[in-house]
Amino acid sequence: MTRGLGGGSLRITAGAVHQSPVEVWAGPECTVNRVGDRYFDQLEMSGHARRVEDLEAFAALGVRTLRYPILWERIAPDRPADADWSWSDERLARLRGLGIAPIVGLVHHGSGPRYTSLIDPGFADGLAAFAGAVARRYPWVDRWTPVNEPLTTARFSGLYGHWYPHGSDALTFARALLHQCRGIVLAMRAIRAVNSAAQLVQTDDLGKTYSTRALAYQADFENERRWLSFDLLCGRVDRAHPMWDFLTGVGVAEGDVGWFLQNPCPPDVIGINYYATSERFLDPRCERYPVGNRGGNWREPYADVEAALVRASGLAGVYGLLGEAWERYHLPLAVTESHLGCSRDEQLRWLLEAWDAAQARRREGVDVRAVTAWALLGSYDWDRLLTAPHGYYEPGAFDVRAPSPRRTALAALIADLAAGREPDHPVLATPGWWRRPSRLRYPAIRRHADEPAPTRRFHPRKRWARPLAITGARGTLGRAFARICEVRGLPHLALSRQDLDIAKPESVAAVLDRLQPWAVVNAAGYVRVDDAEGEPAACFRENRDGPIVLAAACAARGIQLVTFSTDLVFDGGRRLPYVESDAVAPLGVYGSSKAQAERRVLERMPSALVVRTSAFFGPWDEYNFVSLALRALATGGTFVAAADQVVSPTYVPDLVDGSLDLLIDGERGIWHLANRGARSWAEFARGAAELAGLDPGGVEARPTASLGLVARRPPYSALGSERGWILPSLDDALGRYLRECEVEWMGDRSGAARSLILEGSTSIPSPGNGQLDPDARLSATRAETR
């Protein structure tokens, strides 16, 4: 049938919804964006550019369709005539051999090679020429995404000024968008000249904007604009279209807008990319929100915040947006990016909810073809919107911080969905943070009377929530686990010595049988290193015998176990960081108790996870080394620290988050977890002082022998890892420690009368810790012209 669309027309096939099951697609994050004269290449940062063997790992997940980059900027960076096809030849041949169908992408948040740009009138013709060359070389490829997210890229490059050509006005935005969309039309024309059956899988970020009643006009504008790339391609933007006056009003020639009416190129599949930050809320009460969220339009200032953090009724989500897209276009749909930069449990919940929402819509008659597990190899620096490199990494189905990409729990979930198996990871029993009441960071805003209510709501599946059992409830580590499990939505029970004596088999058996936990975190233990020299029996009972009992009981019941060891299992006889396979040689009772525990736990339970760590500091313990040092220096005193012991200080929140992620991933054996950056104790204190604005000269460095310690310490016990560095740098951790402890100064900074107030933070951990909204993918303040 022929369906008129706003003055244009196109042919689409009517009939019953496609009957094949919803598929699992996947893809690596592959952005190549330009900032100034520098290109940021996710394929290089993740290492995929150098590892063709990744494709076998992708195939092992069971996916048979892969969004895959053959990017203009990478293939022909200097001149079109100098294209180098060696990379794409090898990889597309490998994909074909593996039985994986690629959806080939040509530009992904880019502006093309240096000889063009998004505001170059020749951009579209240049892209079409490149597309034709790719199609002629690989004529068997039948699905294409010439430009990923043209609307989002136009906003970031033409309106917000983040990416090249760094425009910050409506005309540059409009030109960037129209040039990309025109490029898509011409690229598909060139591709179809080679393969007439080639299909367009057109993607864009699809969010939704809400507002107070006073800003409804701005929300209406943004909710119309979100469809603009699809409407242009479908030939819908005529004089009656709400965006016609906007585009021509900012300076675009009518003929450039009208060109799409005569040259429609409707997508064969509309791809919805959806993130936690895709839905926004606009509020004129700027004082309620951080400065970074404040912006405005030509008429008035307002704050632009993530809707999940303020809207009492929550998000439309994938379910709601699939419904809206179907009602608008009645074209096949797919979720073409589903990724959350967060803790592992939240990543699993996010992907499963997208899958469940797609399945629900399919049952209602919506033609949903697939859900795409995006960023298989993770992504870098999206927390700063790819404007500057600083190494912030969000893992995906694989974690590339290991010597070779390491499968995470996401990989197992993808494999389950692809094989039609029911996912059963225990963390999936809890809804994601975006659905829990604790998500509301700001005063809750209820839907105003003029805002239409959704006709249908999506209700996530309900499961029985098995708890996580945490021993050592009163210790620093046990309290930290309980606190972070609460934030991460992990049902847990924190057990004290009175609740559970880990060294008594009958006590352990009774508690495990009653609670039926899916895993045990053993945070109990004897921690007084010097006292252990005089109390070896007590030390070995808690540090060796207790973990052995737990391991035997957990192994018998199929319960996962993580327990903790120390850098003091080493003697310090080397000057390079120790890795997991290095031989242990403890110098004292405490280290010996831990070394024996490691060996005997893994003998009884090879699937146990044993985490070696070092030198705790954190925001919830006022007696840790950093707190004591800063408190002494802030009052004008001195602080004595060892100059000849080199350690790897470890920020407790990072340790807990990292341990939980590894536990959820099902990792086993010995892992080293510490923040990157080996320091002597004196260097550590001085570094903390400098970051806090204190005089590091107040730190008095002394030899360990002069400190009167009973137990011998290794002169060097820094930890490295041959399995993967998964914790941030020490400097990053110290910076977060100072912020999360709410450091405040009183009095004259330059004199001796200074004081430092250190209060344990009770707020939700910062985005850098992967809790509420680390996926700051679209959270730039928007100063837009209507």
Side-chain angles (χ1 to χ4, degrees), residues 39 54 65 104 186 222 261 324 337 347 422 463 489 508 698:
Y39 284 85
D54 288 350
T65 299
V104 167
L186 297 182
E222 297 190 22
L261 295 171
E324 291 185 40
E337 288 183 20
Q347 289 184 313
E422 180 70 12
R463 303 166 181 264
V508 171

Side-chain angles (χ1 to χ4, degrees), residues 56-184:
E56 274 79 7
F58 299 166
L61 300 176
V63 298
R64 291 295 172 259
T65 299
L66 193 72
R67 290 187 63 196
Y68 202 70
I70 307 297
L71 299 182
W72 192 10
E73 295 93 339
R74 290 179 53 84
I75 301 297
D78 300 318
R79 293 191 311 159
D82 295 334
D84 180 355
W85 301 101
S86 57
W87 190 90
S88 55
D89 284 350
E90 181 181 21
R91 281 151 180 81
L92 288 185
R94 186 73 64 93
L95 286 175
R96 201 175 188 186
L98 291 168
I100 296 178
I103 302 173
V104 167
L106 305 179
V107 176
H108 199 103
H109 289 316
S111 53
R114 294 186 187 278
Y115 46 83
T116 188
S117 81
L118 297 181
I119 56 174
D120 172 14
F123 176 88
D125 289 328
L127 176 60
F130 177 68
V134 179
R136 288 189 293 275
R137 196 167 189 91
Y138 313 111
W140 52 273
V141 173
D142 57 12
R143 283 182 284 185
W144 299 78
T145 303
V147 178
N148 174 69
E149 293 192 9
L151 181 67
T152 300
T153 303
R155 286 165 42 215
F156 279 38
S157 298
L159 196 58
Y160 309 151
H162 295 320
W163 304 337
Y164 190 82
H166 304 291
S168 55
D169 60 275
L171 179 56
T172 304
F173 157 76
R175 285 175 172 165
L177 176 63
L178 266 64
H179 288 167
Q180 290 177 94
C181 290
R182 189 179 183 115
I184 293 167

